[in-house]
Amino acid sequence: MNSKWKKFNHKLSLMLSTSLIVSMLSINLSVSAELATSKTSFTDIDNSYAKTEISKLVEQGILTGFSDGTFKPSDSVTRAQLAKIMVGALNLKPDNVEASQFKDVKADQWYAGYVGALVKSGIAQGTSKDKFSPNKNVTREELAVFFVRAFGWEHQEITSQTSKPQLSDLDQVSNWAKESVSLAYQSGFIKGSVQNDGTVKFNPSGIADRQALARLAYEFVNNKSTYDSYMIPVKTEVDTEDPTEAKPETTKPSEGTSKGNSGSTSGDKGNGSNNGGNNGGGEQAPSNNLTSPGTYTLGNITGDVTISSQGVVLKNTKVNGKLKILESVGNGDVTLDNVSVTGTTEIQGGGPNSIHAVNSVLATVIVDKADGSIRLVLEGGSDVQQIEIRSGAIVQNVSTGDVGPIEIAESIPHNASVVLSGSFDSVMVHAEQVSVEFGDNSTIGNLEVFQDALNTVFKINHGAVVNRAILNAIVQFSGAGTLSSALVNAEGIDFSQLSQLPTIEADPTVTSVVYAPQVTELSAIDSTRQIVFTGIASPAKKDITSFAKWDVENSAIAIVDSGKIQAKSNGTTVVKAKYGNFEINVPVTVAVYNEGTVYPTLKGIQVTNGSAKLNFSEGFDVSELTANDFIVRAYFDGAEQQLNNLEYRNGEFTFDAIDSYGTTLYITVESDVNKTHFAGSQSGAIKLTGFGGHIKDVAGAPVADLSISFRKGLDNKIGEIVGSVTTDTYGDYYINLPPGIYTGELGGGDTKYITTYLIGVSAVNVENKRENQTAIEIPTQDETRFVLTWGKDPVDLDSHLVGPAGDEGMFHTFYSDKQYYNNGELMVDLDLDDVTSYGPETTTIRHLLPGTYTFYVHHFSGSSTIKKSGAKIDVFHGAVATPSATYTVADASGNEIYWVVLRMIVSEEGVVTYETVNEFTNVDPLTLLQPSDEINEDELEPLE
């Protein structure tokens, strides 16, 4: 087995093991598995309009409920749940193999076989090339389309005698779903909602619920023939053209003629004579691979089509398969004019001046150009069912047609830029730490930000409007445009840089509220007390304290911020909070306790998950205090809770850490009722989110007692430190921090380690204990160390070092030949090879020899490019803690896979100098560094 395959197998096993760990630790709460139950009558269906249908389908084994005896008729339907029910209704056999094409459908998930069967049947397809989106909710129009496909009505129409007035909101149905919705409604299979004026609305974009799916599934299973009787086949003309024949419309060189022929041909089926000087007299051979500039018409073609050249115009063509615009198009232009593609349209090449789609109908468009320098323009009456953006891109919609959901995928590299200009109904964002810009005067109907989109920044330009945002991650908004309303499901979202704040919506699942305490008394100026506001969303609870709108009747007596009241002067007032239609009023009394002229007060509190440190008036002796001098109250999980093993000593309470990930812990500490030693109260809070990991050295040994300091943000190496932690005996650490991305700094100072960094992600709903790092020791006096670090993508950059060997030859260290020995002595080694983003990757020269050392980087795997990677090389020469030289890649376009970074020249006297190279190429630089008698230099491609 050669070294490259060894490396591949090594990396594959690492990726598989990492995937296994991630799958064990990850929890997806959005996809609910239906558990088989013998009950045919559920505890919660008495008021459902589909009670009878639900019960019958359970008896038939098509529907199941949940383990608690409920069916949850009003809950939304996910694509995974839909797959299970439709497979049962169609009596299909589950197919795990077919589902394996989707990376978000794991083989061990309960729904995998159902997804595979439904896709194999042709009723459903993925939301992109390799995603099924099992946890995505199904809309009412999508439900209609799925059942119409199950009936097989795609090429049929309703009989005239059953026709009835159209739905009043049919114009709001997506173009790709209009025919299906109309057929389903006209046949009576789906019902609308009768309005006061007698019209009927369908509400196509509304989320389908479980009872609606149950009714339709029942009708399909038991009354299919009745609905089929309303349908008649649609007559279609037979296409007699050869679907594989390419018909060039402009002159272009012939690809299959001999060099000795000349002349012209008129055999182009009416498209004009081909007299432009082709090197041959024959007609061009039919081809689905368009490799040269020109205008082509392919007609109705079955199979995939590829465009590998810029300057291609594809016209009047229907592709019954996939269309691929390849990377080889480079920064050139491609135009699709009146083109229909039934499969995916994959755009891997094209420049900032554009891929144009004019009057075209495209199913799923995937934009994935490695360096992100691409613009897609939709013009005329183009219809696009959905667009998935996997790289930086500009998408401009000036079409009068319909454009379906835009999905900004999580695979986009950090700091990439996505610009959307025009009108878009739906934008879904999974990408972490990217920039999303809505162009001037653009309109976005619904913006949904998922939990994995941490630290993404949205800019709403002048005149642009985002009608509604559903926000499940900490993100930031800015710009002169308008965000009309937002449903906020994550604390810490920043709207401060918008010209006007959005209306904050209440979670519609909240049916009642509770709060505590219901009356508040404060005994010292600047004392604080927290009001905890909880929404009841049966059967769960939601902390809505930070989401509510807070106010106070008299701000001279007290002020309030996110439920935290602060006393300002003696008197009484009322603090108010509003959340949706719910409003609470909390009476507040400030009565400053004065026994004598000076009395000590509790001034502050610092809460962690396990302690509460108190700060008293200056000079106050806390040594006499005991736990009996305090009243301590704690709130989490929506209610007041008891802290286990609560103890007090020298101004600090300690308690057992709360194991309730994702909630907020509020603690209020005040004096005993008699104010025995002090007055006042203080409240503090901590979000019980965070992350942890393991720190090792290059030999794999745990690094104990090493401090790590964290700053908010990706690659943030300066500014305020928001938290610190020290590794334990086993090299492990854990820190509580609010949801977000953090940069941890370790080493440096008086440690024996070089300053290095790690990226930590504190998630909202999943506890992350995988943020590991390697501590790099400062070299010895005789050593030189190269440290390579980079960003999230590419996943794997590789270090290569070439230099003088003791036998007058040359050594080359890299992933499959990590060590170089001379006379049994280790001279150079790649002591750390990182394959999972960020680095560090280290190469150490143990003993320098006179000559020239060349360091270069290879892009081994990952979708982005070296120029977009943020790669940096620090060179440490001798026993120094700071780099002797640093090289950082410039952010630019271009997808070369090698970066020749530097040359280090060692003189005979041992003097070291550095020479910047900074060249990029697709040819392995090793071929240029080989001794001249081993290669023919005339045949080498020079560095670009």
Side-chain angles (χ1 to χ4, degrees), residues 204-266:
S205 60
I207 301 300
D209 58 24
R210 288 168 57 81
Q211 59 189 343
L213 175 56
R215 192 194 73 77
L216 295 183
Y218 176 85
E219 291 296 317
F220 179 85
V221 171
N222 296 282
N223 299 310
K224 182 176 184 298
S225 60
T226 300
Y227 297 106
D228 281 336
S229 67
Y230 296 141
M231 297 295 150
I232 58 174
V234 175
K235 293 182 180 180
T236 58
E237 295 182 4
V238 178
D239 190 348
T240 59
E241 291 189 11
D242 181 355
T244 64
E245 182 169 6
K247 295 178 287 185
E249 293 183 76
T250 61
T251 302
K252 64 184 290 294
S254 174
E255 300 176 32
T257 56
S258 65
K259 293 182 180 180
N261 297 330
S262 62
S264 64
T265 177
S266 59

Side-chain angles (χ1 to χ4, degrees), residues 706-707 746-754 778 881:
L706 183 64
S707 177
L746 57 152
D750 57 359
T751 72
K752 64 176 182 178
Y753 300 100
I754 294 168
I778 297 170

Side-chain angles (χ1 to χ4, degrees), residues 90-129:
L90 289 161
N91 198 27
L92 299 176
K93 182 180 180 181
D95 190 333
N96 284 63
V97 175
E98 189 72 22
S100 63
Q101 63 183 290
F102 303 115
K103 68 181 183 181
D104 58 355
V105 180
K106 306 299 183 185
D108 59 351
Q109 294 288 353
W110 63 269
Y111 49 80
Y114 303 119
V115 167
L118 201 62
V119 170
K120 188 174 183 179
S121 72
I123 293 172
Q125 51 189 306
T127 56
S128 68
K129 177 182 178 181

Side-chain angles (χ1 to χ4, degrees), residues 758-821:
L758 67 84
I759 304 300
V761 176
S762 176
V764 174
N765 66 330
V766 179
E767 190 169 18
N768 175 9
K769 294 185 179 180
R770 307 183 305 276
E771 304 296 17
N772 307 321
Q773 188 54 291
T774 302
I776 310 297
E777 289 192 19
I778 297 170
T780 67
Q781 189 60 44
D782 297 329
E783 293 178 337
T784 301
R785 182 162 292 145
F786 298 80
V787 181
L788 167 64
T789 56
W790 65 98
K792 176 186 177 183
D793 197 54
V795 174
D796 188 6
L797 294 183
D798 280 327
S799 300
H800 290 250
L801 182 64
V802 179
D807 55 3
E808 298 185 354
M810 182 180 70
F811 75 83
H812 174 210
T813 56
F814 64 117
Y815 55 77
S816 66
D817 194 1
K818 294 182 178 180
Q819 297 178 321
Y820 164 64
Y821 285 85

Side-chain angles (χ1 to χ4, degrees), residues 123 201 247 299 363 408 495 528 574 717 753 788 800 865 900:
I123 293 172
K201 291 185 69 175
K247 295 178 287 185
I408 302 178
F495 299 113
T528 63
V574 175
K717 299 175 182 177
Y753 300 100
L788 167 64
H800 290 250
T865 65
V900 185

Side-chain angles (χ1 to χ4, degrees), residues 545-755:
T545 306
S546 64
F547 303 136
K549 182 178 180 181
W550 293 86
D551 200 4
V552 63
E553 285 186 351
N554 190 341
S555 59
I557 295 173
I559 58 176
V560 64
D561 182 15
S562 294
K564 190 174 182 178
I565 304 169
Q566 184 176 24
K568 288 300 177 184
S569 66
N570 280 329
T572 60
T573 187
V574 175
V575 167
K576 300 181 177 182
K578 187 172 183 180
Y579 183 79
N581 295 324
F582 302 104
E583 187 169 347
I584 63 172
N585 297 280
V586 183
V588 175
T589 299
V590 179
V592 175
Y593 185 78
N594 269 319
E595 185 178 282
T597 56
V598 179
Y599 200 79
T601 58
L602 179 59
K603 306 289 288 185
I605 185 172
Q606 181 181 354
V607 175
T608 66
N609 189 14
S611 72
K613 294 182 179 180
L614 308 178
N615 177 29
F616 292 90
S617 301
E618 186 176 351
F620 179 58
D621 184 7
V622 299
S623 62
E624 296 181 3
L625 297 178
T626 69
N628 294 328
D629 297 316
F630 299 91
I631 298 173
V632 180
R633 292 187 173 90
Y635 301 84
F636 61 91
D637 283 341
E640 185 171 357
Q641 307 277 4
Q642 186 74 32
L643 295 174
N644 295 326
N645 294 322
L646 181 66
E647 297 180 355
Y648 173 81
R649 181 179 298 174
N650 293 328
E652 181 177 9
F653 279 97
T654 59
F655 51 89
D656 291 346
I658 307 301
D659 185 15
S660 183
Y661 191 85
T663 63
T664 299
L665 169 65
Y666 302 93
I667 293 181
T668 297
V669 178
E670 62 182 316
S671 175
D672 66 342
V673 293
N674 297 317
K675 313 290 187 296
T676 306
H677 293 288
F678 67 94
S681 63
Q682 292 293 330
S683 293
I686 183 171
K687 186 77 172 175
L688 298 182
T689 55
F691 56 89
H694 179 72
I695 308 299
K696 64 180 180 180
D697 62 21
V698 293
V703 177
D705 300 321
L706 183 64
S707 177
I708 311 173
S709 298
F710 291 94
R711 297 179 176 90
K712 185 72 179 291
L714 179 71
D715 202 30
N716 180 14
K717 299 175 182 177
I718 59 175
E720 179 187 5
I721 293 174
V722 297
S724 297
V725 68
T726 300
T727 58
D728 63 18
T729 305
Y730 306 102
D732 297 326
Y733 75 93
Y734 189 87
I735 186 167
N736 282 105
L737 287 170
I741 301 176
Y742 297 85
T743 301
E745 179 179 325
L746 57 152
D750 57 359
T751 72
K752 64 176 182 178
Y753 300 100
I754 294 168
T755 300

